[in-house]
Amino acid sequence: MVWSSRTVPRIDVFIMKALLIFEWICLVPVLCGSMFSLLCLWAVLRFRRRRARTRVSDWPPVSILKPLHGLEKNLRENLRSTCIQDYPDFEVIFSVQRPDDPALPLLEEMQGEFGPERVQVVIDEQRPGPNGKINNMVGALPHARHEILVISDSDVCLEPGYLKAIVAPLQDSRIGFVCTPYKAVQAQAWFEKMELLSLNADFMPSVVFAYETGISLFCLGASIALRRATLDTIGGLAPLADYLVEDYEMGRRIALLGRPGILIPPVVDTMVDLKTPSQWWKHQVYWDQNTRSARPVAFFCTWLIRAIPFALLYALLRVGDPVGVAVLGGTVAIRLATAGMIMGWGWRDREGLRALYLLPLRDIAGVVSLLLAFTRRTTFWRGTEFVLTRDGRLVAKS
């Protein structure tokens, strides 16, 4: 093709106009993301001012379901924190799916220390679906003696008053389920600190914002209390075993009954236990796949609140001129300041504050993981690859 002298200037003008439009497009997530950071700060501070109700005239007996899969960081302390709750009548059901699970000796030790009335150990190999956590609890549920159920992940460490705090709201028959926020702790390697920031500075503030504004009231699988009758009404645990995000599906089904969930203090600790950078990265993509499958609208909106990556792109498009540098600097300052206040005042998270310097890098990496979550239709669960369907179900890859 032969270019005329008039064609080249027209192409230059077209490119310059396109770049100018793209610059303005980049400002949308910069502004939206910065505003969202401020709104999350407001929501977390509002949430922290709330006091958990712990005065009940007659505390109901409680069954705590604690599914396990292998040995994890801080597991002994996590399990003991569950067994020493300041509560008049409760039992703890530790459940595994294999008779050779490495955690079994520790579970039997816990049963010996606290007695069979307090601690049950269940081994059951039922597999109604690909979701290992649900499979684990399906075997444990028939052994639960009480109407009030609390589901607590194995990597969660509980304060002594946790059980009273999460059970008390169920005195109101209109409440379908109760959840508590959780924050990541004990991050040592740099990639564990990146994981901590993903949870403490990104995911959990957005959850609190969703609850405080009423936008979304989904379950948080690490810490849930509900009535057995409510669980029975939605068909029990087995129908949830096909879903990647089983807690969201549980909350959705309970909400359809007209029984809303609530989020209450305290903030519990969950251990970061990653061995390699590769494990961290796969988990980041897995988290974003969770959001895409369970809340596609929220997944799309996530693109609109990634302020730092788009501020960086804006500054690069402007070749580092004063305006671009000012936008980037202001965006980073708002992000770091709000995240620091959320973690410091909201979660009492000193670890997060010490790792705050990594947050811009984590946010940039988050855009890449979003892209991968959007394009990938498979995910890994405990070493097995599954196809992820449009409605969030897991199908074994043939």
Side-chain angles (χ1 to χ4, degrees), residues 12-25 317:
D12 290 342
V13 170
F14 174 79
I15 293 174
M16 292 188 65
K17 286 183 177 180
L19 290 175
L20 181 60
I21 292 172
F22 193 53
E23 284 181 17
W24 283 103
I25 292 174
L317 289 171

mmCIF file of all heavy atoms in Angstrom, residues 12-25 317:
data_model
loop_
_atom_site.group_PDB
_atom_site.id
_atom_site.type_symbol
_atom_site.label_atom_id
_atom_site.label_comp_id
_atom_site.label_asym_id
_atom_site.label_seq_id
_atom_site.Cartn_x
_atom_site.Cartn_y
_atom_site.Cartn_z
ATOM 1 N N ASP A 12 -1.695 9.840 12.170
ATOM 2 C CA ASP A 12 -1.147 10.389 13.415
ATOM 3 C C ASP A 12 -2.239 11.019 14.263
ATOM 4 O O ASP A 12 -2.276 10.840 15.485
ATOM 5 C CB ASP A 12 -0.074 11.432 13.103
ATOM 6 C CG ASP A 12 1.180 10.791 12.527
ATOM 7 O OD1 ASP A 12 1.343 9.561 12.701
ATOM 8 O OD2 ASP A 12 1.973 11.511 11.907
ATOM 9 N N VAL A 13 -3.131 11.748 13.631
ATOM 10 C CA VAL A 13 -4.234 12.383 14.370
ATOM 11 C C VAL A 13 -5.144 11.320 14.975
ATOM 12 O O VAL A 13 -5.580 11.429 16.126
ATOM 13 C CB VAL A 13 -5.037 13.313 13.437
ATOM 14 C CG1 VAL A 13 -6.311 13.779 14.128
ATOM 15 C CG2 VAL A 13 -4.192 14.510 13.037
ATOM 16 N N PHE A 14 -5.415 10.265 14.186
ATOM 17 C CA PHE A 14 -6.278 9.187 14.683
ATOM 18 C C PHE A 14 -5.657 8.516 15.905
ATOM 19 O O PHE A 14 -6.343 8.244 16.903
ATOM 20 C CB PHE A 14 -6.502 8.160 13.580
ATOM 21 C CG PHE A 14 -7.255 6.949 14.027
ATOM 22 C CD1 PHE A 14 -8.641 6.975 14.168
ATOM 23 C CD2 PHE A 14 -6.575 5.777 14.330
ATOM 24 C CE1 PHE A 14 -9.320 5.854 14.595
ATOM 25 C CE2 PHE A 14 -7.260 4.654 14.753
ATOM 26 C CZ PHE A 14 -8.641 4.695 14.881
ATOM 27 N N ILE A 15 -4.352 8.235 15.822
ATOM 28 C CA ILE A 15 -3.670 7.583 16.947
ATOM 29 C C ILE A 15 -3.687 8.478 18.171
ATOM 30 O O ILE A 15 -3.952 8.014 19.297
ATOM 31 C CB ILE A 15 -2.223 7.214 16.562
ATOM 32 C CG1 ILE A 15 -2.228 6.126 15.486
ATOM 33 C CG2 ILE A 15 -1.429 6.748 17.785
ATOM 34 C CD1 ILE A 15 -0.855 5.794 14.933
ATOM 35 N N MET A 16 -3.445 9.763 17.984
ATOM 36 C CA MET A 16 -3.428 10.684 19.123
ATOM 37 C C MET A 16 -4.809 10.786 19.768
ATOM 38 O O MET A 16 -4.935 10.822 20.995
ATOM 39 C CB MET A 16 -2.942 12.063 18.682
ATOM 40 C CG MET A 16 -1.478 12.082 18.287
ATOM 41 S SD MET A 16 -0.854 13.741 17.984
ATOM 42 C CE MET A 16 -0.981 14.460 19.606
ATOM 43 N N LYS A 17 -5.857 10.806 18.937
ATOM 44 C CA LYS A 17 -7.215 10.853 19.491
ATOM 45 C C LYS A 17 -7.537 9.563 20.243
ATOM 46 O O LYS A 17 -8.150 9.596 21.320
ATOM 47 C CB LYS A 17 -8.224 11.074 18.372
ATOM 48 C CG LYS A 17 -8.247 12.492 17.821
ATOM 49 C CD LYS A 17 -9.337 12.645 16.769
ATOM 50 C CE LYS A 17 -9.406 14.088 16.267
ATOM 51 N NZ LYS A 17 -10.464 14.258 15.239
ATOM 52 N N ALA A 18 -7.106 8.430 19.677
ATOM 53 C CA ALA A 18 -7.359 7.148 20.338
ATOM 54 C C ALA A 18 -6.648 7.079 21.684
ATOM 55 O O ALA A 18 -7.218 6.606 22.684
ATOM 56 C CB ALA A 18 -6.909 6.007 19.436
ATOM 57 N N LEU A 19 -5.392 7.553 21.719
ATOM 58 C CA LEU A 19 -4.655 7.560 22.979
ATOM 59 C C LEU A 19 -5.303 8.486 24.001
ATOM 60 O O LEU A 19 -5.358 8.175 25.198
ATOM 61 C CB LEU A 19 -3.201 7.976 22.741
ATOM 62 C CG LEU A 19 -2.325 6.963 21.993
ATOM 63 C CD1 LEU A 19 -0.960 7.557 21.710
ATOM 64 C CD2 LEU A 19 -2.190 5.672 22.799
ATOM 65 N N LEU A 20 -5.815 9.625 23.534
ATOM 66 C CA LEU A 20 -6.476 10.564 24.435
ATOM 67 C C LEU A 20 -7.743 9.947 25.028
ATOM 68 O O LEU A 20 -8.011 10.077 26.233
ATOM 69 C CB LEU A 20 -6.834 11.850 23.690
ATOM 70 C CG LEU A 20 -7.509 12.947 24.538
ATOM 71 C CD1 LEU A 20 -6.595 13.371 25.676
ATOM 72 C CD2 LEU A 20 -7.871 14.140 23.653
ATOM 73 N N ILE A 21 -8.508 9.241 24.187
ATOM 74 C CA ILE A 21 -9.715 8.562 24.675
ATOM 75 C C ILE A 21 -9.345 7.486 25.687
ATOM 76 O O ILE A 21 -9.989 7.341 26.736
ATOM 77 C CB ILE A 21 -10.495 7.953 23.496
ATOM 78 C CG1 ILE A 21 -11.079 9.074 22.617
ATOM 79 C CG2 ILE A 21 -11.612 7.032 23.996
ATOM 80 C CD1 ILE A 21 -11.697 8.576 21.327
ATOM 81 N N PHE A 22 -8.267 6.756 25.400
ATOM 82 C CA PHE A 22 -7.837 5.696 26.309
ATOM 83 C C PHE A 22 -7.368 6.268 27.641
ATOM 84 O O PHE A 22 -7.585 5.666 28.703
ATOM 85 C CB PHE A 22 -6.735 4.865 25.664
ATOM 86 C CG PHE A 22 -6.460 3.583 26.375
ATOM 87 C CD1 PHE A 22 -7.473 2.686 26.658
ATOM 88 C CD2 PHE A 22 -5.164 3.263 26.766
ATOM 89 C CE1 PHE A 22 -7.227 1.494 27.315
ATOM 90 C CE2 PHE A 22 -4.901 2.078 27.429
ATOM 91 C CZ PHE A 22 -5.939 1.198 27.705
ATOM 92 N N GLU A 23 -6.723 7.435 27.591
ATOM 93 C CA GLU A 23 -6.327 8.107 28.836
ATOM 94 C C GLU A 23 -7.553 8.383 29.709
ATOM 95 O O GLU A 23 -7.553 8.129 30.918
ATOM 96 C CB GLU A 23 -5.606 9.417 28.523
ATOM 97 C CG GLU A 23 -4.184 9.267 28.046
ATOM 98 C CD GLU A 23 -3.540 10.620 27.779
ATOM 99 O OE1 GLU A 23 -4.086 11.640 28.275
ATOM 100 O OE2 GLU A 23 -2.512 10.662 27.084
ATOM 101 N N TRP A 24 -8.607 8.905 29.100
ATOM 102 C CA TRP A 24 -9.828 9.209 29.855
ATOM 103 C C TRP A 24 -10.483 7.931 30.372
ATOM 104 O O TRP A 24 -11.028 7.908 31.483
ATOM 105 C CB TRP A 24 -10.810 9.988 28.978
ATOM 106 C CG TRP A 24 -10.433 11.429 28.840
ATOM 107 C CD1 TRP A 24 -9.848 12.031 27.767
ATOM 108 C CD2 TRP A 24 -10.599 12.461 29.815
ATOM 109 N NE1 TRP A 24 -9.626 13.368 27.996
ATOM 110 C CE2 TRP A 24 -10.088 13.660 29.253
ATOM 111 C CE3 TRP A 24 -11.127 12.490 31.099
ATOM 112 C CZ2 TRP A 24 -10.097 14.875 29.959
ATOM 113 C CZ3 TRP A 24 -11.135 13.695 31.796
ATOM 114 C CH2 TRP A 24 -10.628 14.863 31.222
ATOM 115 N N ILE A 25 -10.415 6.864 29.568
ATOM 116 C CA ILE A 25 -10.960 5.578 30.025
ATOM 117 C C ILE A 25 -10.206 5.097 31.262
ATOM 118 O O ILE A 25 -10.808 4.565 32.209
ATOM 119 C CB ILE A 25 -10.894 4.533 28.896
ATOM 120 C CG1 ILE A 25 -11.875 4.911 27.775
ATOM 121 C CG2 ILE A 25 -11.197 3.137 29.421
ATOM 122 C CD1 ILE A 25 -11.787 4.012 26.556
ATOM 123 N N LEU A 317 0.987 6.503 29.666
ATOM 124 C CA LEU A 317 0.450 7.089 28.437
ATOM 125 C C LEU A 317 0.800 8.564 28.308
ATOM 126 O O LEU A 317 0.969 9.077 27.194
ATOM 127 C CB LEU A 317 -1.075 6.910 28.396
ATOM 128 C CG LEU A 317 -1.575 5.479 28.157
ATOM 129 C CD1 LEU A 317 -3.084 5.409 28.356
ATOM 130 C CD2 LEU A 317 -1.208 5.017 26.742
#
